[in-house]
Amino acid sequence: MYSHLRDDFPTLRGEQPPAYLDNACVTLKPDSVINSISDYYSMYPGCGGRSVHRYGTQVSRLVAQSRQTIAKFINANSVNEVVFTRNATHSINQIAKGISWQKGDVIVTGDREHNSNLVPWLQLVEEKGVEHRIVKSNPDNTFNVENFEQVCEDVGERLKLVSFSHVGNLDGISVPIKKIAKITHEYDALIAVDGAQSTPHMRVDVQDLDIDFISFSIHKMCGPSGMGGLWGRYELLESLRSIQSGGQTVQTSHYDSVKWAAPPSKFEGGLGNFAGMIASGEAIDYLSKLDMNAVHEHEIRLNSIITNKIKHLDSIKIIGPEDAKQRGGICSILMGDLPSHDIAILLDEAANVMVRSGQHCVHSWFNAHGHSNGSLRASAYFYNTEEDANLFADTFTEAVEAFG
Ligand SMILES: Cc1ncc(COP(=O)(O)O)c(C=O)c1O
């Protein structure tokens, strides 16, 4: 469906391009993104936001444009609600360490969270006496609304914040964020969304979802590595403490006091990754030209091909419901006693298929379920083809039969 776009990606143009199915980790980059990085270094390698010479002014202009593109992509109310960060992990840490916590406040997450949406909250438990409650999923890993409502009811007004991954990197399953936001707000609590696996793959409208914060990984959206984003409602960002104070974060300072800059500047301390910020805008501009609902459908179609071809294999089990519609573009496979890393290496070396193996930073789920071997995960994006899906499924089947 998007095969014509494959030519935009240097790694897909060669004689034998890989079936790159590790998109939940990091995506490939189109020429426009790569070129914008080298344009910064070769044509205007200056400092945005401060220097007023031509280089500085050009960088300031391009960074502002990039922020605007991102704001539009997620339907932010204002461009000033978009903060550049290093990655989604940095964004979540900014929320966790920026909120003012009281002992006994409660933070709620799911039971299949990436470490980046678990460890910052556990740190608050250790350091601030905050309580952490987990909402148990259904046996097939889908969201259980009743369990969430019960947790909220149990903790009542002590509920301060809920933070869920919109789409799990473990299994591709989405949670009903709009419904969760409604319930959360009934308790006057805040909702933060880990959008690392949703913003690249589906239409995400922060106003329609009625959420308070969302964190995302621009490197999973065709953008440069080392770039992420944080969106928050402006009035919440105004009251959030910056975890990266210093140059750029104040209007002025005296020997004994500071006058903070307004968001987003107050969170972007120090000289920024300007090449990364500008290239982020190029990446989101690239995605803005796609129909994100169609991207999602395309990924499900590829996942269905994979699922139908491998589901009969005895020694493995797909995590989550069998229906690929409920798992987006992610097929995460429990390997039993089979050597998942060896099989991942074999797929790469013998068949030119790239996937991920291991616990995908969701150790808590694998530990709780006794699957220390982790899983082998194939994750699709718009540039993947049916041939990629078939090649993975066929060679994976051969490998499982050979090792089994
Ligand atoms: C669901 C989820 N949350 C958070 C992260 C962390 O993202 P980043 O590497 O941008 O910090 C990831 C990365 O894989 C993820 O999949």
Side-chain angles (χ1 to χ4, degrees):
M1 169 184 188
Y2 289 112
S3 302
H4 60 287
L5 299 179
R6 287 170 67 83
D7 261 358
D8 295 341
F9 293 79
T11 47
L12 299 179
R13 279 202 291 264
E15 282 286 288
Q16 286 192 306
Y20 183 80
L21 291 164
D22 193 15
N23 296 287
C25 178
V26 70
T27 57
L28 306 177
K29 322 298 175 196
D31 292 317
S32 57
V33 168
I34 299 166
N35 293 342
S36 70
I37 293 172
S38 90
D39 284 354
Y40 168 80
Y41 289 112
S42 56
M43 283 156 51
Y44 33 81
C47 173
R50 294 171 232 182
S51 308
V52 294
H53 50 66
R54 275 169 296 144
Y55 289 174
T57 309
Q58 173 74 338
V59 173
S60 300
R61 192 180 66 74
L62 292 174
V63 169
Q65 198 173 300
S66 171
R67 210 185 292 277
Q68 179 70 57
T69 304
I70 296 169
K72 194 162 167 226
F73 188 71
I74 57 173
N75 195 27
N77 202 19
S78 152
V79 68
N80 293 324
E81 294 179 335
V82 176
V83 181
F84 284 112
T85 62
R86 286 195 299 280
N87 41 44
T89 305
H90 182 187
S91 309
I92 297 169
N93 272 278
Q94 172 55 71
I95 302 167
K97 297 181 172 85
I99 289 177
S100 152
W101 299 94
Q102 307 297 323
K103 194 166 186 291
D105 284 345
V106 177
I107 146 92
V108 173
T109 70
D111 60 357
R112 13 185 298 287
E113 301 297 341
H114 189 283
N115 282 330
S116 297
N117 190 34
L118 174 66
V119 179
W121 311 117
L122 294 182
Q123 207 178 351
L124 291 177
V125 172
E126 274 182 20
E127 295 171 2
K128 302 272 183 197
V130 164
E131 260 181 55
H132 173 227
R133 298 287 179 98
I134 290 180
V135 178
K136 203 167 164 11
S137 302
N138 293 316
D140 68 355
N141 267 15
T142 52
F143 192 71
N144 186 309
V145 181
E146 290 75 34
N147 286 352
F148 174 58
E149 285 174 325
Q150 189 60 54
V151 169
C152 293
E153 205 180 307
D154 289 350
V155 302
E157 61 185 23
R158 290 195 300 129
L159 182 65
K160 176 105 170 181
L161 182 120
V162 312
S163 185
F164 286 100
S165 54
H166 195 172
V167 172
N169 67 313
L170 168 72
D171 47 27
I173 297 171
S174 315
V175 305
I177 288 294
K178 206 167 168 173
K179 194 179 279 176
I180 294 171
K182 186 166 179 293
I183 297 167
T184 303
H185 289 148
E186 281 164 11
Y187 286 82
D188 283 333
L190 298 171
I191 171 165
V193 175
D194 171 358
Q197 298 293 345
S198 60
T199 50
H201 301 284
M202 56 177 71
R203 177 89 187 102
V204 172
D205 177 330
V206 294
Q207 295 191 68
D208 179 55
L209 290 174
D210 196 21
I211 54 179
D212 298 305
F213 299 103
I214 191 166
S215 305
F216 46 99
S217 310
I218 293 173
H219 62 86
K220 296 187 202 300
M221 305 173 79
C222 295
S225 52
M227 286 307 300
L230 166 65
W231 168 87
R233 286 189 192 283
Y234 192 76
E235 64 279 12
L236 294 174
L237 292 181
E238 275 185 309
S239 58
L240 200 66
R241 173 182 159 272
S242 172
I243 59 167
Q244 177 127 334
S245 54
Q248 184 80 11
T249 65
V250 294
Q251 288 175 38
T252 191
S253 63
H254 301 275
Y255 288 130
D256 58 359
S257 64
V258 298
K259 190 163 169 39
W260 291 100
S265 283
K266 85 169 185 186
F267 301 107
E268 296 177 354
L271 192 118
N273 176 359
F274 295 120
M277 293 178 190
I278 295 167
S280 296
E282 285 295 338
I284 307 305
D285 185 51
Y286 191 90
L287 294 188
S288 302
K289 294 182 180 128
L290 311 181
D291 172 348
M292 294 307 287
N293 294 327
V295 166
H296 189 54
E297 290 304 316
H298 174 71
E299 293 169 5
I300 290 172
R301 202 160 38 249
L302 300 188
N303 197 357
S304 303
I305 292 175
I306 295 172
T307 302
N308 289 334
K309 282 197 158 181
I310 67 167
K311 66 184 183 195
H312 67 278
L313 293 170
D314 282 338
S315 37
I316 59 121
K317 183 172 179 340
I318 295 173
I319 304 175
E322 188 178 301
D323 184 359
K325 276 200 193 78
Q326 296 194 63
R327 290 180 286 108
I330 292 183
C331 190
S332 190
I333 308 156
L334 291 172
M335 301 294 286
D337 293 331
L338 295 171
S340 46
H341 288 310
D342 291 344
I343 292 181
I345 293 169
L346 185 78
L347 289 175
D348 181 18
E349 292 182 351
N352 207 11
V353 174
M354 296 182 187
V355 293
R356 172 95 176 252
S357 49
Q359 300 198 1
H360 321 293
C361 296
V362 197
H363 298 86
S364 52
W365 186 89
F366 285 100
N367 286 332
H369 290 78
H371 297 303
S372 55
N373 196 17
S375 79
L376 185 138
R377 182 185 71 189
S379 51
Y381 210 13
F382 60 87
Y383 42 63
N384 288 119
T385 59
E386 292 189 6
E387 289 76 44
D388 291 344
N390 280 310
L391 183 63
F392 165 69
D394 294 342
T395 48
F396 174 78
T397 302
E398 277 174 38
V400 165
E401 284 168 353
F403 276 95

